[in-house]
Amino acid sequence: MADARIFQRPKNATQSGRARTDEWVLEFLSREKMPVDPLTGWNGLADMQAEVKVVFPTLEAARVYADKHGVSYHVVPAPQPKLKLQAYADNFR
């Protein structure tokens, strides 16, 4: 049985837009440690399922998919945005 996590796609830190932040992603977790290649020093996996990410429009759709295919999952709640209210006049205090 595969393990997965379901999370809401976060806002891109380098952009001001909020495109695709309403999507939910089901990401399969790797069951093995990432070995280091002695020649190149890069990490690699033989488990290709760890590379799979499935995108859904809602959390419920992701849960239905996981239940239908026998995938055990945990839901990572979306972080609450912190609003920093600031006025232009605060720059001159």
Side-chain angles (χ1 to χ4, degrees):
M1 182 177 281
D3 293 329
R5 71 180 182 128
I6 299 174
F7 62 97
Q8 193 168 15
R9 193 184 298 262
K11 178 184 167 302
N12 189 344
T14 61
Q15 301 290 325
S16 62
R18 302 194 57 82
R20 298 177 65 186
T21 57
D22 56 344
E23 297 176 339
W24 288 84
V25 179
L26 183 138
E27 179 179 61
F28 290 96
L29 303 175
S30 175
R31 285 180 254 146
E32 60 187 50
K33 185 179 172 189
M34 292 183 73
V36 178
D37 184 344
L39 181 63
T40 62
W42 293 357
N43 293 340
L45 279 177
D47 182 18
M48 291 306 296
Q49 191 172 14
E51 300 293 325
V52 176
K53 294 181 184 179
V54 186
V55 179
F56 297 94
T58 64
L59 172 61
E60 191 58 36
R63 286 182 171 170
V64 167
Y65 175 86
D67 292 336
K68 180 179 177 183
H69 293 285
V71 176
S72 62
Y73 62 90
H74 68 277
V75 177
V76 178
Q80 296 298 323
K82 298 176 185 174
L83 295 177
K84 183 178 178 184
L85 300 176
Q86 188 174 1
Y88 179 70
D90 292 343
N91 293 333
F92 302 103
R93 287 187 181 186

